[in-house]
Amino acid sequence: MDSFLSGAAQIFTLATLIYMLAGSLAGIIAAAIPGFTVTMAIVLTLPLTFTMEPLQGIAVMLSVYVGGYTGGLISAALLGIPGTPSSVATTFDAFPMARNGEPGRALSLGVWASFFGTIISTVVLIVAAPPLAMFAVKLGPWEYFSLIVFALTIVASLVGDSVIRGLLAGLIGLAISTVGTDPIMGRPRFDFGIEMLETGLPFLVVLIGIFAISQLTSEVEDAKSVRSGNALVTGAIDFQTWKVMKEVLLRPVNLIRSSIVGVLIGALPGAGGSIANLVAYDQAKRNSKDPDSFGKGNPDGVVASEAGNSATAGGGLIPLIGLGIPGSAVDAILMASLMVHGISVGPRLIMDHADLVYGMFIAMAVASLMMLFVSVVSMRMFLRVAEVPKWLIVPVVMVCCVVGSFALNNRVTDLYLLGFIGVAGYALRALGYSLAPLVLGVILGPIAETNLRRALMTDADPSLFFTRPISLIFLIAAVVSIAWAIRGHLKQRKTSGRSTDAPAS
Amino acid sequence: MSDAGYDKQQAREAGEIARLLSYVLILLASVGLFVSATAIPTSRFEKLGAGAFPKIVFAGIALVAVIAIIDALRKIPAGAYGRFACQTVAWARRRYLVFVVLATLAVYLLAIPLLGFSVASFLFILGLELVLMPRRPATLLVAVIVAAVFSFGLNWLFAEVFTVFLPRGVL
């Protein structure tokens, strides 16, 4: 209880609340701009939080996160373009609804669904994380290593269209993490005589290069669309805030089901909002009495998609707080920000820094309230944001990336690294590698290595990985997740192969 | 219409070849790094040395890359290799803006230590805007204002508020 109050005291200071408000505003604006993802927004927020207290920094980043999941709704509903990948399913019903003359209702539905989705997921997080941590501290290095192997395979198999390229990306991430001194003995590795590499590749620079620079570059692939502007839905917009709140609350089954789907998917490593919104939408459609009306402006579709993607925010924190394993790229960044402040993330987090964890819970709830407040008060303004053209966004955000990478270490060499990683990241993206496993590989690499070596230092017998039951379960799960992914892949190829081969034969 | 479909098929094949090349590159790099990892001295205090984990990772990469290469070789029809060069040129031409942006970024990063953050950023933003934007007088004004705010303004913000001093340049 003491730590709960201490966490609350740290969150409810004027400075923190103002920063958080700015964070939700920034998150909503960023995600409302097509081509600017939630991940990018969080990556760029990270350097700004270095000077803050740990909890304050995390609270600001959570606000950006929660705000970002809502902001994607704006361009999804009004332009039919998902502002972020996590609002793809929102376009299915919110856009037709806006087109049918109810853009305000579509937006309000989404905002309320996001709000309740976040709140429900926070409740699940508060209930689920502490027992998970209690269980996790009993795990030895064997179990931990196997758990990370499992996490990486599931990431590789869930994200992207190719299991092999997903695996390769994850392994490349692990390889990147081995540059610099080794985590146990402190021996230099792979520095090739370059001074900058002696301490390892700076994680933030890698993140910005991989996610932001490559994403921005891919935005200009289509020369024609860059040079034209998008027309916005015009006409009077009536938000009907309170009426819609009732409307959302009158769909409790859909709301809770979609939120639970979001929490579960968010808690799975690798799967985040970009999958949850589609699954929640699909579930809502299947369970609807009137499935044909989906895709034509059914409010249930909007509620399902937005509650689903927002609920992943709380779900993703469950493995992060309980196990010290990030569930998604965004959670990896949150974890990195804690590590920058010298807080080691793992199952002991909740015991050693209980005030921080409770503070995070409170921050989630406060952030969702702020998101609601900001959205209701200034939604009209955000309508303009979705209009910001790409030719402004790309150069400006690139400069922000440069500032962010520089501010970490005040080193000009980091900028060269940023350029190099940006090009490499774009090449990987263009070749169809998914980048999320790579980032998780970078952050999980040192944890995996430390646990592997610690396990073998405790007992030189490697068969312990297979004879300790929990470790064995994780390893079997890893094999199953790969096998399952390959099976699905083959099945898909068979059907698509038949359809392309048919005209040839 | 069938012509466009044919092109797409060829483009897909070219993409497969490009991926095949990337697998080969990754395989070579991982084998090379594996070999260099064997040179990392081990310690007598533990069974696995500092080089063991990298070796496992690079062996894993090599293994997956070999599988990927075999898989890719099966997929690519024999005639596709001959068309690869011209498909690549066509691909690069469709995406010429990407190369413009990346080249501008490279020049910008190299110019920061020389010109200083503010001037280099101003030139970078304005230059890239001029390349990307629809050329109208009104947008030009917006472009100049935005460039000024996010170069000189950002520099001021970081120096005054966050006390992070961005590179000043030597000129």
Side-chain angles (χ1 to χ4, degrees):
Chain A
M1 193 62 199
D2 274 352
S3 33
F4 179 83
L5 288 177
S6 153
Q10 288 181 58
I11 293 289
F12 291 108
T13 59
L14 187 65
T16 310
L17 290 176
I18 290 176
Y19 280 134
M20 284 179 75
L21 191 65
S24 11
L25 198 71
I28 297 178
I29 292 178
I33 300 169
F36 201 125
T37 61
V38 185
T39 315
M40 259 162 82
I42 299 212
V43 169
L44 292 176
T45 317
L46 178 53
L48 302 180
T49 62
F50 287 160
T51 51
M52 301 178 188
E53 294 289 306
L55 182 55
Q56 201 176 26
I58 281 283
V60 172
M61 289 170 66
L62 284 174
S63 317
V64 176
Y65 191 11
V66 172
Y69 271 131
T70 313
L73 157 77
I74 296 171
S75 57
L78 300 180
L79 305 175
I81 310 166
T84 65
S86 45
S87 51
V88 171
T90 312
T91 57
F92 299 164
D93 277 299
F95 186 53
M97 191 185 270
R99 271 290 155 90
N100 294 341
E102 293 183 302
R105 181 165 166 237
L107 287 174
S108 295
L109 271 175
V111 168
W112 281 107
S114 292
F115 172 70
F116 289 118
T118 316
I119 293 290
I120 293 174
S121 79
T122 310
V123 172
V124 177
L125 169 71
I126 294 173
V127 173
L132 190 65
M134 294 298 168
F135 165 73
V137 282
K138 296 202 182 80
L139 301 179
W142 299 272
E143 284 80 18
Y144 243 82
F145 177 74
S146 306
L147 173 63
I148 289 168
V149 171
F150 169 58
L152 277 177
T153 55
I154 201 164
V155 172
S157 58
L158 278 175
V159 181
D161 50 352
S162 156
V163 186
I164 283 191
R165 283 194 293 281
L167 275 177
L168 269 179
L171 286 166
I172 291 174
L174 289 181
I176 291 176
S177 78
T178 64
V179 174
T181 48
D182 92 80
I184 291 202
M185 292 295 184
R187 271 184 206 286
R189 298 189 296 201
F190 307 117
D191 55 11
F192 307 107
I194 302 170
E195 195 185 339
M196 182 180 68
L197 296 182
E198 276 170 15
T199 50
L201 289 170
F203 179 66
L204 182 70
V205 178
V206 173
L207 262 184
I208 295 182
I210 288 279
F211 272 111
I213 299 280
S214 78
Q215 170 76 40
L216 288 169
T217 313
S218 68
E219 288 302 324
V220 298
E221 274 171 9
D222 187 2
K224 269 185 218 138
S225 86
V226 174
R227 292 216 170 99
S228 65
N230 294 308
L232 204 67
V233 177
T234 48
I237 296 183
D238 182 9
F239 291 112
Q240 312 163 341
T241 310
W242 304 111
K243 201 178 127 201
V244 172
M245 181 187 84
K246 254 188 231 155
E247 198 182 339
V248 172
L249 282 177
L250 284 176
R251 304 168 195 277
V253 180
N254 182 9
L255 189 63
I256 291 174
R257 183 184 52 231
S258 306
S259 304
I260 297 296
V261 165
V263 169
L264 291 178
I265 291 182
L268 268 182
S274 48
I275 300 176
N277 72 96
L278 291 165
V279 176
Y281 183 87
D282 186 54
Q283 286 298 323
K285 189 174 171 183
R286 273 170 208 228
N287 290 301
S288 167
K289 285 184 199 118
D290 184 17
D292 288 339
S293 67
F294 275 77
K296 294 171 189 150
N298 188 325
D300 269 323
V302 185
V303 170
S305 169
E306 282 300 311
N309 71 28
S310 296
T312 57
L317 289 177
I318 295 175
L320 180 70
I321 293 176
L323 304 171
I325 292 193
S328 67
V330 172
D331 297 313
I333 302 165
L334 288 177
M335 188 166 158
S337 85
L338 285 176
M339 296 194 306
V340 166
H341 287 293
I343 294 166
S344 67
V345 183
R348 290 205 57 84
L349 180 73
I350 204 163
M351 291 153 219
D352 297 342
H353 298 279
D355 58 329
L356 188 78
V357 173
Y358 285 115
M360 281 167 81
F361 294 158
I362 300 167
M364 279 290 286
V366 174
S368 57
L369 271 175
M370 283 193 171
M371 177 281 290
L372 187 69
F373 172 75
V374 172
S375 312
V376 169
V377 171
S378 47
M379 190 66 104
R380 234 166 274 268
M381 196 189 81
F382 293 129
L383 303 183
R384 304 219 69 95
V385 172
E387 280 181 297
V388 176
K390 279 181 189 168
W391 60 264
L392 273 179
I393 291 302
V394 172
V396 165
V397 179
M398 274 192 175
V399 168
C400 296
C401 295
V402 167
V403 174
S405 329
F406 182 80
L408 176 64
N409 291 327
N410 288 316
R411 277 198 309 211
V412 175
T413 38
D414 278 1
L415 299 182
Y416 304 144
L417 183 72
L418 175 74
F420 178 76
I421 290 185
V423 172
Y426 178 72
L428 286 178
R429 181 188 285 265
L431 288 169
Y433 288 81
S434 42
L435 299 175
L438 197 156
V439 168
L440 287 183
V442 173
I443 200 141
L444 291 178
I447 310 176
E449 175 170 11
T450 311
N451 280 297
L452 174 66
R453 287 168 65 183
R454 201 173 280 158
L456 291 170
M457 280 162 101
T458 321
D459 190 330
D461 182 10
S463 70
L464 277 174
F465 285 104
F466 303 101
T467 51
R468 288 177 70 109
I470 297 174
S471 167
L472 183 68
I473 290 174
F474 285 136
L475 286 178
I476 291 176
V479 174
V480 169
S481 85
I482 290 196
W484 188 67
I486 291 176
R487 192 179 137 259
H489 192 62
L490 288 179
K491 219 187 216 170
Q492 196 182 1
R493 187 185 292 178
K494 225 179 220 171
T495 49
S496 69
R498 234 179 254 144
S499 58
T500 49
D501 286 352
S505 58
Chain B
M1 170 147 181
S2 69
D3 200 36
Y6 188 60
D7 262 348
K8 249 183 206 154
Q9 175 69 25
Q10 285 194 354
R12 203 177 305 133
E13 286 169 9
E16 282 299 332
I17 296 177
R19 266 176 222 135
L20 174 65
L21 287 177
S22 75
Y23 302 146
V24 173
L25 208 67
I26 290 172
L27 176 65
L28 292 179
S30 65
V31 170
L33 287 168
F34 182 88
V35 172
S36 77
T38 54
I40 298 173
T42 50
S43 149
R44 60 198 161 95
F45 297 110
E46 55 171 338
K47 196 178 174 199
L48 298 177
F53 184 74
K55 272 193 268 179
I56 296 172
V57 171
F58 291 123
I61 296 181
L63 180 74
V64 178
V66 167
I67 297 174
I69 289 172
I70 296 169
D71 187 50
L73 283 176
R74 274 191 323 143
K75 258 190 253 172
I76 302 169
Y81 297 98
R83 294 191 290 265
F84 179 58
C86 71
Q87 282 295 331
T88 309
V89 174
W91 175 86
R93 228 175 247 168
R94 275 199 303 278
R95 296 184 171 188
Y96 73 98
L97 276 180
V98 168
F99 295 95
V100 173
V101 169
L102 288 178
T104 323
L105 180 69
V107 173
Y108 167 51
L109 292 176
L110 291 175
I112 287 180
L114 284 177
L115 300 176
F117 173 80
S118 304
V119 177
S121 303
F122 180 77
L123 294 178
F124 170 73
I125 298 181
L126 192 64
L128 207 50
E129 281 173 342
L130 289 176
V131 174
L132 297 177
M133 73 183 192
R135 292 179 184 88
R136 284 193 296 267
T139 53
L140 194 67
L141 184 69
V142 174
V144 173
I145 294 173
V146 168
V149 168
F150 282 91
S151 53
F152 295 97
L154 211 55
N155 192 22
W156 175 85
L157 179 78
F158 269 78
E160 296 294 319
V161 182
F162 300 110
T163 56
V164 170
F165 296 96
L166 299 164
R168 272 195 176 169
V170 289
L171 298 184

